[in-house]
Amino acid sequence: MTGRRVGRWVIGASSCALLTVIVVSGCQQFNGIGNRTPATGIPERVVVWADPTNAESTGSSIRDANNDEDRFIVVGTNGAVQFLPGQTVCDDCSVDIDNAVIDLGDGNSVDIRFGIGAVGDDTARRPFMVDAASGNFIQLVGGGSSPITFQVTEQPFEDPDDDSDDRAVSAGDASNGTATTGSGASQSGLCGVFGVLPVWAMVLVPAFFWRRR
């Protein structure tokens, strides 16, 4: 190998190493909901909640103010709070399953309560996120590349506010269909080994063509 070829190989390898670091850093930044995904990762099993007024009315999906069946949270039996769609876990949340309370820190907490949504269907009782302090619905804000946050709305969950007959009750657990093995967090398309390999290829292939000239 001539000195020129050695030099080209060193330059190519250095570029690959730099790009690999950039890609891995991007993966770490993408995981989680802003700060990072915790070591617990995606829970394998989630809590099933029951309506205190009707033990046969159960569900694991906890909706927000929008009553959207495609955007909600679930609580893992390990205390993790997972946002769906997607596979991101709240790293600032802790859950008191016995009392159906999600502690967000700094004195903020979310109650899990059964009731009727302010929008959408007006007959089915299901678990919702309710601000413990105000008794108002909670709305999930953000997602994608932005952090997901809990935002208190101006819409009361009920009037007058009374959680004595609607606070969710833990009624067992169920398998989490979105659970994955490994890191337990969703990653962008450039994450992991199979994401790094294409980056190496983008640099190495031109290098091989360069050598053949």
Side-chain angles (χ1 to χ4, degrees), residues 115-128:
I116 298 174
V119 296
D121 59 80
D122 57 359
T123 57
R125 282 171 61 93
R126 56 171 46 91
F128 284 95

Side-chain angles (χ1 to χ4, degrees), residues 2-205:
T2 65
R4 177 179 296 180
R5 290 182 177 178
V6 170
R8 290 171 179 170
W9 169 252
V10 170
I11 293 173
S14 300
S15 299
C16 289
L18 177 59
L19 283 172
T20 301
V21 170
I22 293 174
V23 170
V24 172
S25 298
C27 294
Q28 293 173 344
Q29 186 173 5
F30 187 85
N31 288 344
I33 59 160
N35 292 328
R36 290 296 80 80
T37 297
T40 53
I42 301 298
E44 294 185 2
R45 301 193 67 79
V46 295
V47 177
V48 175
W49 304 99
D51 187 338
T53 65
N54 180 6
E56 295 182 358
S57 176
T58 62
S60 58
S61 303
I62 309 167
R63 299 189 184 185
D64 72 351
N66 298 309
N67 198 11
D68 189 343
E69 63 180 3
D70 296 321
R71 185 175 173 84
F72 54 89
I73 65 171
V74 293
V75 172
T77 54
N78 61 352
V81 175
Q82 179 186 352
F83 298 92
L84 288 104
Q87 293 185 2
T88 52
V89 175
C90 177
D91 56 358
D92 296 322
C93 303
S94 60
V95 183
D96 180 351
I97 295 175
D98 292 335
N99 294 304
V101 177
I102 302 172
D103 185 357
L104 305 181
D106 297 327
N108 300 309
S109 60
V110 175
D111 292 335
I112 304 170
R113 295 168 60 178
F114 269 78
I116 298 174
V119 296
D121 59 80
D122 57 359
T123 57
R125 282 171 61 93
R126 56 171 46 91
F128 284 95
M129 289 170 268
V130 180
D131 177 47
S134 67
N136 292 350
F137 279 98
I138 293 287
Q139 179 181 10
L140 296 176
V141 179
S145 60
S146 302
I148 298 176
T149 59
F150 298 86
Q151 183 180 82
V152 181
T153 70
E154 296 182 356
Q155 178 64 46
F157 181 68
E158 63 177 349
D159 188 18
D161 185 36
D162 178 13
D163 67 349
S164 64
D165 60 349
D166 57 30
R167 184 172 291 272
V169 178
S170 174
D173 59 273
S175 176
N176 184 1
T178 65
T180 58
T181 57
S183 65
S186 65
Q187 299 178 330
S188 68
L190 293 177
C191 292
V193 174
F194 293 102
V196 175
L197 287 177
V199 179
W200 279 82
M202 285 188 293
V203 177
L204 290 177
V205 169

